[in-house]
């Protein structure tokens, strides 16, 4: 069943469709948050907060772009809200080990480790767009909505990062 059909059923009062939609995207959102914050326990908490916000504000959801990019935008906002008041010295650095834990299963582990090592050396604004594009398969337009930038800026960051 498509996301659109599930959303229609949820608006009709079907709570099981809400659960189906959450289960469909839970792992992707968790891995993205884990990649961003580098802490498993915190990632679980922020993933839960992402889906709680989705449930709380579902009535205001307007269908623009894909539902998946909408969830990534909520996740990005949750992460930003969480770290808004955290001092720079209190933030845990993004370590290669944490990136490896958050990465999806790859056919060639050696190649994956090399890519993760290189990604860790990029500025976060380039790393974020590359991960969203190549790991999650999002389009530049969707990434622009998630990172709150213009499409040409996103495309430029992708080219620079590559």
């Amino acid at each position: 069943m498509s996301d659109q059909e599930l959303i229609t059923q949820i608006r009709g009062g079907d709570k099981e469709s809400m659960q189906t939609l959450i289960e469909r995207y839970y792992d992707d959102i968790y891995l993205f948050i884990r990649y961003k914050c580098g802490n498993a326990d915190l990632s679980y908490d922020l993933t839960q907060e992402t889906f709680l916000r989705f449930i709380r504000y579902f009535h205001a959801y307007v269908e623009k772009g894909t539902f998946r990019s909408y969830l990534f935008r909520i996740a990005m906002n949750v992460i930003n809200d969480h770290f808004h008041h955290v001092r720079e010295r209190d933030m845990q650095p993004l370590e290669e080990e944490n990136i490896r834990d958050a990465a999806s299963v790859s056919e060639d582990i050696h190649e994956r480790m090399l890519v993760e090592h290189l990604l860790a050396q990029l500025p976060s604004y380039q790393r974020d767009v590359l991960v969203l594009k190549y790991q999650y398969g999002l389009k530049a337009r969707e990434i622009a909505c998630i990172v709150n930038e213009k499409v040409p800026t996103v495309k430029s960051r992708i080219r620079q990062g590559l």
Side-chain angles (χ1 to χ4, degrees), residues 7-162:
I7 290 168
T8 302
Q9 288 182 354
I10 294 168
R11 287 197 169 129
D14 184 7
K15 293 183 182 192
E16 289 180 24
S17 294
M18 177 78 75
Q19 184 63 30
T20 302
L21 205 52
I22 290 170
E23 288 172 0
R24 182 176 291 173
Y25 293 108
Y26 189 89
D27 290 340
D28 284 345
I29 298 300
Y30 169 76
L31 290 173
F32 175 70
I33 292 173
R34 175 71 189 260
Y35 150 75
K36 289 292 289 173
C37 71
N39 179 307
D41 293 333
L42 179 59
S43 298
Y44 281 116
D45 291 343
L46 296 180
T47 301
Q48 291 297 322
E49 178 61 26
T50 298
F51 285 102
L52 286 173
R53 283 190 190 181
F54 160 65
I55 292 168
R56 187 177 311 131
Y57 299 110
F58 178 76
H59 66 279
Y61 171 65
V62 177
E63 299 171 34
K64 290 198 279 190
T66 64
F67 178 73
R68 184 177 187 214
S69 64
Y70 173 72
L71 283 178
F72 275 101
R73 183 68 198 149
I74 293 173
M76 185 70 85
N77 288 339
V78 167
I79 293 166
N80 290 339
D81 289 350
H82 176 76
F83 287 115
H84 181 70
H85 297 294
V86 176
R87 288 186 187 167
E88 190 71 22
R89 66 179 168 86
D90 292 338
M91 291 176 58
Q92 295 182 356
L94 188 61
E95 299 173 7
E96 278 186 60
E97 176 183 334
N98 292 332
I99 295 172
R100 269 196 303 279
D101 291 343
S104 63
V105 177
S106 176
E107 298 167 6
D108 186 356
I109 293 174
H110 177 70
E111 216 172 273
R112 186 177 114 207
M113 290 173 57
L114 177 61
V115 168
E116 290 168 352
H117 175 71
L118 294 172
L119 273 174
Q121 295 177 19
L122 290 174
S124 65
Y125 61 88
Q126 289 176 352
R127 186 173 51 234
D128 291 347
V129 297
L130 288 174
V131 168
L132 289 168
K133 174 149 181 73
Y134 293 106
Q135 184 172 344
Y136 294 102
L138 297 175
K139 297 176 183 168
R141 176 180 42 80
E142 295 170 319
I143 296 169
C145 290
I146 292 169
V147 297
N148 203 22
E149 292 290 348
K150 295 182 179 181
V151 174
T153 302
V154 169
K155 288 180 178 179
S156 173
R157 289 178 180 177
I158 290 170
R159 281 191 302 276
Q160 290 170 350
L162 290 174

